[in-house]
PDB file of all heavy atoms in Angstrom:
ATOM      1  N   GLU I   1     -63.334   3.435   6.950  1.00 97.00           N
ATOM      2  CA  GLU I   1     -64.190   3.578   5.644  1.00 97.00           C
ATOM      3  C   GLU I   1     -65.406   2.614   5.668  1.00 97.00           C
ATOM      4  O   GLU I   1     -66.226   2.744   4.852  1.00 97.00           O
ATOM      5  CB  GLU I   1     -63.270   3.258   4.496  1.00 97.00           C
ATOM      6  CG  GLU I   1     -62.117   4.297   4.306  1.00 97.00           C
ATOM      7  CD  GLU I   1     -61.195   3.891   3.296  1.00 97.00           C
ATOM      8  OE1 GLU I   1     -61.355   2.855   2.563  1.00 97.00           O
ATOM      9  OE2 GLU I   1     -60.160   4.525   3.056  1.00 97.00           O
ATOM     10  N   ILE I   2     -65.488   1.751   6.665  1.00 98.00           N
ATOM     11  CA  ILE I   2     -66.609   0.858   6.811  1.00 98.00           C
ATOM     12  C   ILE I   2     -67.768   1.576   7.349  1.00 98.00           C
ATOM     13  O   ILE I   2     -67.707   2.102   8.624  1.00 98.00           O
ATOM     14  CB  ILE I   2     -66.357  -0.383   7.629  1.00 98.00           C
ATOM     15  CG1 ILE I   2     -65.135  -1.121   6.880  1.00 98.00           C
ATOM     16  CG2 ILE I   2     -67.568  -1.335   7.755  1.00 98.00           C
ATOM     17  CD1 ILE I   2     -64.626  -2.331   7.791  1.00 98.00           C
ATOM     18  N   ARG I   3     -68.878   1.909   6.743  1.00 95.00           N
ATOM     19  CA  ARG I   3     -69.846   2.933   7.218  1.00 95.00           C
ATOM     20  C   ARG I   3     -70.551   2.375   8.478  1.00 95.00           C
ATOM     21  O   ARG I   3     -70.976   3.350   9.206  1.00 95.00           O
ATOM     22  CB  ARG I   3     -70.901   3.129   6.136  1.00 95.00           C
ATOM     23  CG  ARG I   3     -70.440   3.598   4.802  1.00 95.00           C
ATOM     24  CD  ARG I   3     -69.571   4.871   4.990  1.00 95.00           C
ATOM     25  NE  ARG I   3     -70.129   5.990   5.745  1.00 95.00           N
ATOM     26  CZ  ARG I   3     -69.536   6.994   6.269  1.00 95.00           C
ATOM     27  NH1 ARG I   3     -68.308   7.205   5.979  1.00 95.00           N
ATOM     28  NH2 ARG I   3     -70.247   7.940   6.997  1.00 95.00           N
ATOM     29  N   ASN I   4     -70.697   1.125   8.769  1.00 97.00           N
ATOM     30  CA  ASN I   4     -71.417   0.776   9.830  1.00 97.00           C
ATOM     31  C   ASN I   4     -70.521   0.596  11.105  1.00 97.00           C
ATOM     32  O   ASN I   4     -70.845  -0.104  12.095  1.00 97.00           O
ATOM     33  CB  ASN I   4     -72.256  -0.491   9.634  1.00 97.00           C
ATOM     34  CG  ASN I   4     -73.451  -0.706  10.367  1.00 97.00           C
ATOM     35  OD1 ASN I   4     -74.099   0.384  10.888  1.00 97.00           O
ATOM     36  ND2 ASN I   4     -74.006  -1.757  10.646  1.00 97.00           N
ATOM     37  N   VAL I   5     -69.322   1.165  11.113  1.00 98.00           N
ATOM     38  CA  VAL I   5     -68.466   1.203  12.244  1.00 98.00           C
ATOM     39  C   VAL I   5     -68.900   2.303  13.070  1.00 98.00           C
ATOM     40  O   VAL I   5     -69.040   3.443  12.518  1.00 98.00           O
ATOM     41  CB  VAL I   5     -67.012   1.354  11.798  1.00 98.00           C
ATOM     42  CG1 VAL I   5     -66.191   1.753  13.025  1.00 98.00           C
ATOM     43  CG2 VAL I   5     -66.468   0.043  11.229  1.00 98.00           C
ATOM     44  N   ILE I   6     -69.255   2.094  14.337  1.00 98.00           N
ATOM     45  CA  ILE I   6     -69.745   3.228  15.196  1.00 98.00           C
ATOM     46  C   ILE I   6     -68.683   3.694  16.263  1.00 98.00           C
ATOM     47  O   ILE I   6     -68.850   4.768  16.729  1.00 98.00           O
ATOM     48  CB  ILE I   6     -71.050   2.848  15.926  1.00 98.00           C
ATOM     49  CG1 ILE I   6     -71.001   1.603  16.857  1.00 98.00           C
ATOM     50  CG2 ILE I   6     -72.094   2.641  14.813  1.00 98.00           C
ATOM     51  CD1 ILE I   6     -72.116   1.309  17.644  1.00 98.00           C
ATOM     52  N   ALA I   7     -67.838   2.779  16.550  1.00 98.00           N
ATOM     53  CA  ALA I   7     -66.874   3.092  17.602  1.00 98.00           C
ATOM     54  C   ALA I   7     -65.712   2.261  17.523  1.00 98.00           C
ATOM     55  O   ALA I   7     -65.650   1.221  16.822  1.00 98.00           O
ATOM     56  CB  ALA I   7     -67.532   3.043  18.955  1.00 98.00           C
ATOM     57  N   ILE I   8     -64.586   2.564  18.362  1.00 98.00           N
ATOM     58  CA  ILE I   8     -63.339   1.710  18.415  1.00 98.00           C
ATOM     59  C   ILE I   8     -63.006   1.720  19.911  1.00 98.00           C
ATOM     60  O   ILE I   8     -62.916   2.760  20.568  1.00 98.00           O
ATOM     61  CB  ILE I   8     -62.275   2.292  17.584  1.00 98.00           C
ATOM     62  CG1 ILE I   8     -62.535   2.192  16.022  1.00 98.00           C
ATOM     63  CG2 ILE I   8     -61.065   1.409  17.846  1.00 98.00           C
ATOM     64  CD1 ILE I   8     -61.557   3.007  15.203  1.00 98.00           C
ATOM     65  N   LYS I   9     -62.796   0.412  20.406  1.00 98.00           N
ATOM     66  CA  LYS I   9     -62.212   0.239  21.733  1.00 98.00           C
ATOM     67  C   LYS I   9     -60.769   0.278  21.528  1.00 98.00           C
ATOM     68  O   LYS I   9     -60.234  -0.810  20.925  1.00 98.00           O
ATOM     69  CB  LYS I   9     -62.853  -0.986  22.413  1.00 98.00           C
ATOM     70  CG  LYS I   9     -62.021  -1.289  23.712  1.00 98.00           C
ATOM     71  CD  LYS I   9     -62.615  -2.568  24.336  1.00 98.00           C
ATOM     72  CE  LYS I   9     -61.655  -2.983  25.547  1.00 98.00           C
ATOM     73  NZ  LYS I   9     -62.275  -4.099  26.414  1.00 98.00           N
ATOM     74  N   ILE I  10     -59.995   1.124  22.193  1.00 97.00           N
ATOM     75  CA  ILE I  10     -58.623   1.207  21.860  1.00 97.00           C
ATOM     76  C   ILE I  10     -57.934   0.542  23.181  1.00 97.00           C
ATOM     77  O   ILE I  10     -57.884   1.136  24.283  1.00 97.00           O
ATOM     78  CB  ILE I  10     -58.073   2.638  21.797  1.00 97.00           C
ATOM     79  CG1 ILE I  10     -58.897   3.356  20.605  1.00 97.00           C
ATOM     80  CG2 ILE I  10     -56.556   2.647  21.488  1.00 97.00           C
ATOM     81  CD1 ILE I  10     -58.613   4.790  20.705  1.00 97.00           C
ATOM     82  N   ALA I  11     -57.324  -0.691  22.981  1.00 95.00           N
ATOM     83  CA  ALA I  11     -56.794  -1.493  24.156  1.00 95.00           C
ATOM     84  C   ALA I  11     -55.482  -2.156  23.931  1.00 95.00           C
ATOM     85  O   ALA I  11     -55.332  -3.336  24.237  1.00 95.00           O
ATOM     86  CB  ALA I  11     -57.897  -2.463  24.540  1.00 95.00           C
ATOM     87  N   PRO I  12     -54.587  -1.434  23.172  1.00 94.00           N
ATOM     88  CA  PRO I  12     -53.285  -2.062  22.995  1.00 94.00           C
ATOM     89  C   PRO I  12     -52.299  -1.980  24.127  1.00 94.00           C
ATOM     90  O   PRO I  12     -51.173  -2.554  24.123  1.00 94.00           O
ATOM     91  CB  PRO I  12     -52.681  -1.338  21.820  1.00 94.00           C
ATOM     92  CG  PRO I  12     -53.253   0.025  22.021  1.00 94.00           C
ATOM     93  CD  PRO I  12     -54.630  -0.282  22.405  1.00 94.00           C
ATOM     94  N   PHE I  13     -52.785  -1.119  25.165  1.00 94.00           N
ATOM     95  CA  PHE I  13     -51.774  -0.879  26.364  1.00 94.00           C
ATOM     96  C   PHE I  13     -50.480  -0.435  25.924  1.00 94.00           C
ATOM     97  O   PHE I  13     -49.481  -0.757  26.352  1.00 94.00           O
ATOM     98  CB  PHE I  13     -51.612  -2.180  27.240  1.00 94.00           C
ATOM     99  CG  PHE I  13     -52.841  -2.550  28.044  1.00 94.00           C
ATOM    100  CD1 PHE I  13     -54.120  -2.523  27.555  1.00 94.00           C
ATOM    101  CD2 PHE I  13     -52.708  -2.962  29.299  1.00 94.00           C
ATOM    102  CE1 PHE I  13     -55.162  -2.967  28.379  1.00 94.00           C
ATOM    103  CE2 PHE I  13     -53.734  -3.402  30.067  1.00 94.00           C
ATOM    104  CZ  PHE I  13     -54.986  -3.293  29.627  1.00 94.00           C
ATOM    105  N   ASN I  14     -50.521   0.471  24.942  1.00 93.00           N
ATOM    106  CA  ASN I  14     -49.336   1.154  24.334  1.00 93.00           C
ATOM    107  C   ASN I  14     -49.633   2.514  23.744  1.00 93.00           C
ATOM    108  O   ASN I  14     -50.553   2.662  23.089  1.00 93.00           O
ATOM    109  CB  ASN I  14     -48.836   0.235  23.192  1.00 93.00           C
ATOM    110  CG  ASN I  14     -47.650   0.629  22.532  1.00 93.00           C
ATOM    111  OD1 ASN I  14     -47.500   1.601  21.900  1.00 93.00           O
ATOM    112  ND2 ASN I  14     -46.520  -0.134  22.762  1.00 93.00           N
ATOM    113  N   ARG I  15     -48.860   3.542  24.188  1.00 95.00           N
ATOM    114  CA  ARG I  15     -49.177   4.846  23.803  1.00 95.00           C
ATOM    115  C   ARG I  15     -48.935   5.087  22.269  1.00 95.00           C
ATOM    116  O   ARG I  15     -49.754   5.762  21.635  1.00 95.00           O
ATOM    117  CB  ARG I  15     -48.338   5.823  24.507  1.00 95.00           C
ATOM    118  CG  ARG I  15     -48.385   5.657  26.072  1.00 95.00           C
ATOM    119  CD  ARG I  15     -49.824   5.542  26.577  1.00 95.00           C
ATOM    120  NE  ARG I  15     -50.624   6.628  26.513  1.00 95.00           N
ATOM    121  CZ  ARG I  15     -51.989   6.562  26.465  1.00 95.00           C
ATOM    122  NH1 ARG I  15     -52.490   5.298  26.668  1.00 95.00           N
ATOM    123  NH2 ARG I  15     -52.678   7.631  26.327  1.00 95.00           N
ATOM    124  N   TYR I  16     -47.984   4.526  21.724  1.00 95.00           N
ATOM    125  CA  TYR I  16     -47.710   4.741  20.238  1.00 95.00           C
ATOM    126  C   TYR I  16     -48.887   4.153  19.484  1.00 95.00           C
ATOM    127  O   TYR I  16     -49.368   4.694  18.505  1.00 95.00           O
ATOM    128  CB  TYR I  16     -46.423   3.951  19.891  1.00 95.00           C
ATOM    129  CG  TYR I  16     -45.222   4.491  20.543  1.00 95.00           C
ATOM    130  CD1 TYR I  16     -44.453   3.495  21.427  1.00 95.00           C
ATOM    131  CD2 TYR I  16     -44.675   5.721  20.390  1.00 95.00           C
ATOM    132  CE1 TYR I  16     -43.396   3.900  21.905  1.00 95.00           C
ATOM    133  CE2 TYR I  16     -43.542   6.073  20.958  1.00 95.00           C
ATOM    134  CZ  TYR I  16     -42.818   5.185  21.893  1.00 95.00           C
ATOM    135  OH  TYR I  16     -41.621   5.541  22.475  1.00 95.00           O
ATOM    136  N   GLN I  17     -49.346   2.949  19.805  1.00 95.00           N
ATOM    137  CA  GLN I  17     -50.489   2.322  19.140  1.00 95.00           C
ATOM    138  C   GLN I  17     -51.761   2.929  19.403  1.00 95.00           C
ATOM    139  O   GLN I  17     -52.701   3.027  18.461  1.00 95.00           O
ATOM    140  CB  GLN I  17     -50.460   0.832  19.435  1.00 95.00           C
ATOM    141  CG  GLN I  17     -49.169  -0.026  18.989  1.00 95.00           C
ATOM    142  CD  GLN I  17     -48.865  -1.256  19.691  1.00 95.00           C
ATOM    143  OE1 GLN I  17     -49.738  -1.687  20.576  1.00 95.00           O
ATOM    144  NE2 GLN I  17     -47.630  -1.687  19.599  1.00 95.00           N
ATOM    145  N   THR I  18     -51.912   3.516  20.551  1.00 96.00           N
ATOM    146  CA  THR I  18     -53.176   4.376  20.839  1.00 96.00           C
ATOM    147  C   THR I  18     -53.165   5.568  19.874  1.00 96.00           C
ATOM    148  O   THR I  18     -54.280   5.835  19.156  1.00 96.00           O
ATOM    149  CB  THR I  18     -53.154   4.755  22.273  1.00 96.00           C
ATOM    150  OG1 THR I  18     -53.296   3.611  23.017  1.00 96.00           O
ATOM    151  CG2 THR I  18     -54.312   5.710  22.576  1.00 96.00           C
ATOM    152  N   ILE I  19     -52.025   6.196  19.661  1.00 97.00           N
ATOM    153  CA  ILE I  19     -51.923   7.419  18.783  1.00 97.00           C
ATOM    154  C   ILE I  19     -52.219   6.968  17.275  1.00 97.00           C
ATOM    155  O   ILE I  19     -52.989   7.689  16.648  1.00 97.00           O
ATOM    156  CB  ILE I  19     -50.632   8.032  18.841  1.00 97.00           C
ATOM    157  CG1 ILE I  19     -50.563   8.715  20.251  1.00 97.00           C
ATOM    158  CG2 ILE I  19     -50.505   9.024  17.820  1.00 97.00           C
ATOM    159  CD1 ILE I  19     -49.057   9.236  20.547  1.00 97.00           C
ATOM    160  N   ASP I  20     -51.807   5.712  16.943  1.00 96.00           N
ATOM    161  CA  ASP I  20     -52.100   5.298  15.525  1.00 96.00           C
ATOM    162  C   ASP I  20     -53.666   5.282  15.384  1.00 96.00           C
ATOM    163  O   ASP I  20     -54.113   5.700  14.249  1.00 96.00           O
ATOM    164  CB  ASP I  20     -51.605   3.912  15.399  1.00 96.00           C
ATOM    165  CG  ASP I  20     -50.046   3.869  15.054  1.00 96.00           C
ATOM    166  OD1 ASP I  20     -49.448   4.842  14.796  1.00 96.00           O
ATOM    167  OD2 ASP I  20     -49.465   2.640  15.236  1.00 96.00           O
ATOM    168  N   VAL I  21     -54.343   4.788  16.305  1.00 97.00           N
ATOM    169  CA  VAL I  21     -55.854   4.723  16.101  1.00 97.00           C
ATOM    170  C   VAL I  21     -56.480   6.039  15.926  1.00 97.00           C
ATOM    171  O   VAL I  21     -57.281   6.359  15.107  1.00 97.00           O
ATOM    172  CB  VAL I  21     -56.511   3.833  17.170  1.00 97.00           C
ATOM    173  CG1 VAL I  21     -57.993   3.722  17.002  1.00 97.00           C
ATOM    174  CG2 VAL I  21     -55.829   2.418  17.230  1.00 97.00           C
ATOM    175  N   VAL I  22     -56.089   6.950  16.979  1.00 97.00           N
ATOM    176  CA  VAL I  22     -56.845   8.235  17.008  1.00 97.00           C
ATOM    177  C   VAL I  22     -56.332   8.992  15.787  1.00 97.00           C
ATOM    178  O   VAL I  22     -57.321   9.643  15.221  1.00 97.00           O
ATOM    179  CB  VAL I  22     -56.408   8.926  18.235  1.00 97.00           C
ATOM    180  CG1 VAL I  22     -57.178  10.411  18.303  1.00 97.00           C
ATOM    181  CG2 VAL I  22     -56.717   8.195  19.491  1.00 97.00           C
ATOM    182  N   ARG I  23     -55.165   8.977  15.320  1.00 97.00           N
ATOM    183  CA  ARG I  23     -54.614   9.754  14.148  1.00 97.00           C
ATOM    184  C   ARG I  23     -55.405   9.256  12.930  1.00 97.00           C
ATOM    185  O   ARG I  23     -55.787   9.956  11.977  1.00 97.00           O
ATOM    186  CB  ARG I  23     -53.270   9.648  13.994  1.00 97.00           C
ATOM    187  CG  ARG I  23     -52.734  10.496  12.801  1.00 97.00           C
ATOM    188  CD  ARG I  23     -51.267  10.545  12.852  1.00 97.00           C
ATOM    189  NE  ARG I  23     -50.527   9.371  12.636  1.00 97.00           N
ATOM    190  CZ  ARG I  23     -50.138   8.928  11.454  1.00 97.00           C
ATOM    191  NH1 ARG I  23     -50.385   9.626  10.326  1.00 97.00           N
ATOM    192  NH2 ARG I  23     -49.514   7.729  11.262  1.00 97.00           N
ATOM    193  N   ALA I  24     -55.584   7.902  12.855  1.00 97.00           N
ATOM    194  CA  ALA I  24     -56.155   7.364  11.612  1.00 97.00           C
ATOM    195  C   ALA I  24     -57.616   7.749  11.596  1.00 97.00           C
ATOM    196  O   ALA I  24     -58.171   8.112  10.362  1.00 97.00           O
ATOM    197  CB  ALA I  24     -56.120   5.832  11.767  1.00 97.00           C
ATOM    198  N   ILE I  25     -58.336   7.836  12.693  1.00 97.00           N
ATOM    199  CA  ILE I  25     -59.728   8.314  12.665  1.00 97.00           C
ATOM    200  C   ILE I  25     -59.838   9.712  12.348  1.00 97.00           C
ATOM    201  O   ILE I  25     -60.771  10.238  11.537  1.00 97.00           O
ATOM    202  CB  ILE I  25     -60.428   7.935  14.023  1.00 97.00           C
ATOM    203  CG1 ILE I  25     -60.409   6.387  14.210  1.00 97.00           C
ATOM    204  CG2 ILE I  25     -61.869   8.473  13.955  1.00 97.00           C
ATOM    205  CD1 ILE I  25     -61.018   5.562  13.119  1.00 97.00           C
ATOM    206  N   VAL I  26     -59.068  10.522  12.920  1.00 97.00           N
ATOM    207  CA  VAL I  26     -58.983  12.029  12.602  1.00 97.00           C
ATOM    208  C   VAL I  26     -58.816  12.243  11.084  1.00 97.00           C
ATOM    209  O   VAL I  26     -59.489  12.944  10.493  1.00 97.00           O
ATOM    210  CB  VAL I  26     -57.972  12.692  13.459  1.00 97.00           C
ATOM    211  CG1 VAL I  26     -57.658  14.158  12.903  1.00 97.00           C
ATOM    212  CG2 VAL I  26     -58.298  12.741  14.915  1.00 97.00           C
ATOM    213  N   GLU I  27     -57.759  11.547  10.574  1.00 96.00           N
ATOM    214  CA  GLU I  27     -57.370  11.702   9.241  1.00 96.00           C
ATOM    215  C   GLU I  27     -58.431  11.083   8.169  1.00 96.00           C
ATOM    216  O   GLU I  27     -58.470  11.621   7.038  1.00 96.00           O
ATOM    217  CB  GLU I  27     -56.057  11.209   8.948  1.00 96.00           C
ATOM    218  CG  GLU I  27     -54.964  12.122   9.682  1.00 96.00           C
ATOM    219  CD  GLU I  27     -53.408  11.632   9.427  1.00 96.00           C
ATOM    220  OE1 GLU I  27     -53.258  10.717   8.764  1.00 96.00           O
ATOM    221  OE2 GLU I  27     -52.606  12.284  10.063  1.00 96.00           O
ATOM    222  N   SER I  28     -59.235  10.184   8.693  1.00 95.00           N
ATOM    223  CA  SER I  28     -60.271   9.599   7.871  1.00 95.00           C
ATOM    224  C   SER I  28     -61.483  10.611   7.695  1.00 95.00           C
ATOM    225  O   SER I  28     -62.261  10.536   6.701  1.00 95.00           O
ATOM    226  CB  SER I  28     -60.840   8.362   8.433  1.00 95.00           C
ATOM    227  OG  SER I  28     -61.678   8.703   9.598  1.00 95.00           O
ATOM    228  N   GLY I  29     -61.618  11.630   8.518  1.00 94.00           N
ATOM    229  CA  GLY I  29     -62.569  12.607   8.505  1.00 94.00           C
ATOM    230  C   GLY I  29     -63.888  12.069   9.190  1.00 94.00           C
ATOM    231  O   GLY I  29     -64.899  12.766   9.105  1.00 94.00           O
ATOM    232  N   ARG I  30     -63.835  10.935   9.781  1.00 95.00           N
ATOM    233  CA  ARG I  30     -65.070  10.338  10.304  1.00 95.00           C
ATOM    234  C   ARG I  30     -65.244  10.850  11.890  1.00 95.00           C
ATOM    235  O   ARG I  30     -64.581  10.434  12.809  1.00 95.00           O
ATOM    236  CB  ARG I  30     -64.995   8.729  10.450  1.00 95.00           C
ATOM    237  CG  ARG I  30     -65.026   8.069   9.154  1.00 95.00           C
ATOM    238  CD  ARG I  30     -66.480   7.942   8.588  1.00 95.00           C
ATOM    239  NE  ARG I  30     -67.377   7.404   9.553  1.00 95.00           N
ATOM    240  CZ  ARG I  30     -67.695   6.091   9.546  1.00 95.00           C
ATOM    241  NH1 ARG I  30     -67.077   5.252   8.708  1.00 95.00           N
ATOM    242  NH2 ARG I  30     -68.545   5.614  10.410  1.00 95.00           N
ATOM    243  N   ASP I  31     -66.055  11.923  11.998  1.00 94.00           N
ATOM    244  CA  ASP I  31     -66.252  12.507  13.339  1.00 94.00           C
ATOM    245  C   ASP I  31     -67.407  11.622  13.992  1.00 94.00           C
ATOM    246  O   ASP I  31     -67.691  11.974  15.128  1.00 94.00           O
ATOM    247  CB  ASP I  31     -66.510  13.897  13.239  1.00 94.00           C
ATOM    248  CG  ASP I  31     -67.739  14.302  12.423  1.00 94.00           C
ATOM    249  OD1 ASP I  31     -68.501  13.393  11.932  1.00 94.00           O
ATOM    250  OD2 ASP I  31     -68.071  15.506  12.270  1.00 94.00           O
ATOM    251  N   ASP I  32     -67.981  10.696  13.254  1.00 96.00           N
ATOM    252  CA  ASP I  32     -69.046   9.907  13.913  1.00 96.00           C
ATOM    253  C   ASP I  32     -68.535   8.566  14.424  1.00 96.00           C
ATOM    254  O   ASP I  32     -69.386   7.709  14.850  1.00 96.00           O
ATOM    255  CB  ASP I  32     -70.224   9.633  12.889  1.00 96.00           C
ATOM    256  CG  ASP I  32     -69.780   8.929  11.604  1.00 96.00           C
ATOM    257  OD1 ASP I  32     -68.543   8.921  11.338  1.00 96.00           O
ATOM    258  OD2 ASP I  32     -70.653   8.362  10.948  1.00 96.00           O
ATOM    259  N   VAL I  33     -67.290   8.240  14.298  1.00 98.00           N
ATOM    260  CA  VAL I  33     -66.683   7.004  14.917  1.00 98.00           C
ATOM    261  C   VAL I  33     -66.192   7.480  16.265  1.00 98.00           C
ATOM    262  O   VAL I  33     -65.226   8.223  16.424  1.00 98.00           O
ATOM    263  CB  VAL I  33     -65.573   6.368  14.114  1.00 98.00           C
ATOM    264  CG1 VAL I  33     -64.897   5.294  14.760  1.00 98.00           C
ATOM    265  CG2 VAL I  33     -66.150   5.923  12.741  1.00 98.00           C
ATOM    266  N   VAL I  34     -66.863   6.928  17.294  1.00 98.00           N
ATOM    267  CA  VAL I  34     -66.593   7.366  18.649  1.00 98.00           C
ATOM    268  C   VAL I  34     -65.373   6.532  19.313  1.00 98.00           C
ATOM    269  O   VAL I  34     -65.327   5.308  19.075  1.00 98.00           O
ATOM    270  CB  VAL I  34     -67.803   7.211  19.498  1.00 98.00           C
ATOM    271  CG1 VAL I  34     -67.552   7.776  21.011  1.00 98.00           C
ATOM    272  CG2 VAL I  34     -69.039   7.882  18.949  1.00 98.00           C
ATOM    273  N   LEU I  35     -64.537   7.159  19.933  1.00 98.00           N
ATOM    274  CA  LEU I  35     -63.379   6.563  20.481  1.00 98.00           C
ATOM    275  C   LEU I  35     -63.537   6.162  22.035  1.00 98.00           C
ATOM    276  O   LEU I  35     -64.057   7.146  22.842  1.00 98.00           O
ATOM    277  CB  LEU I  35     -62.079   7.432  20.324  1.00 98.00           C
ATOM    278  CG  LEU I  35     -61.852   7.837  18.950  1.00 98.00           C
ATOM    279  CD1 LEU I  35     -60.639   8.789  18.827  1.00 98.00           C
ATOM    280  CD2 LEU I  35     -61.473   6.579  18.186  1.00 98.00           C
ATOM    281  N   TYR I  36     -63.270   5.006  22.327  1.00 98.00           N
ATOM    282  CA  TYR I  36     -63.438   4.507  23.676  1.00 98.00           C
ATOM    283  C   TYR I  36     -62.048   3.849  24.229  1.00 98.00           C
ATOM    284  O   TYR I  36     -61.431   3.276  23.415  1.00 98.00           O
ATOM    285  CB  TYR I  36     -64.597   3.482  23.882  1.00 98.00           C
ATOM    286  CG  TYR I  36     -65.790   4.134  24.338  1.00 98.00           C
ATOM    287  CD1 TYR I  36     -66.401   5.095  23.561  1.00 98.00           C
ATOM    288  CD2 TYR I  36     -66.404   3.842  25.441  1.00 98.00           C
ATOM    289  CE1 TYR I  36     -67.518   5.803  23.916  1.00 98.00           C
ATOM    290  CE2 TYR I  36     -67.681   4.485  25.904  1.00 98.00           C
ATOM    291  CZ  TYR I  36     -68.163   5.413  25.066  1.00 98.00           C
ATOM    292  OH  TYR I  36     -69.386   6.152  25.473  1.00 98.00           O
ATOM    293  N   THR I  37     -61.753   4.079  25.348  1.00 98.00           N
ATOM    294  CA  THR I  37     -60.543   3.501  25.893  1.00 98.00           C
ATOM    295  C   THR I  37     -60.811   2.151  26.352  1.00 98.00           C
ATOM    296  O   THR I  37     -61.818   1.880  27.141  1.00 98.00           O
ATOM    297  CB  THR I  37     -59.902   4.273  27.092  1.00 98.00           C
ATOM    298  OG1 THR I  37     -58.664   3.740  27.426  1.00 98.00           O
ATOM    299  CG2 THR I  37     -60.862   4.462  28.242  1.00 98.00           C
TER     300      THR I  37
END
């Protein structure tokens, strides 16, 4: 919900936690927050 967020580096080394991040961004409706591994 923070407008000046442009991307997220997903680095928990854990599949469950990786899914948490991607699902949260999808469900936020923010298609302008870019996901990076």
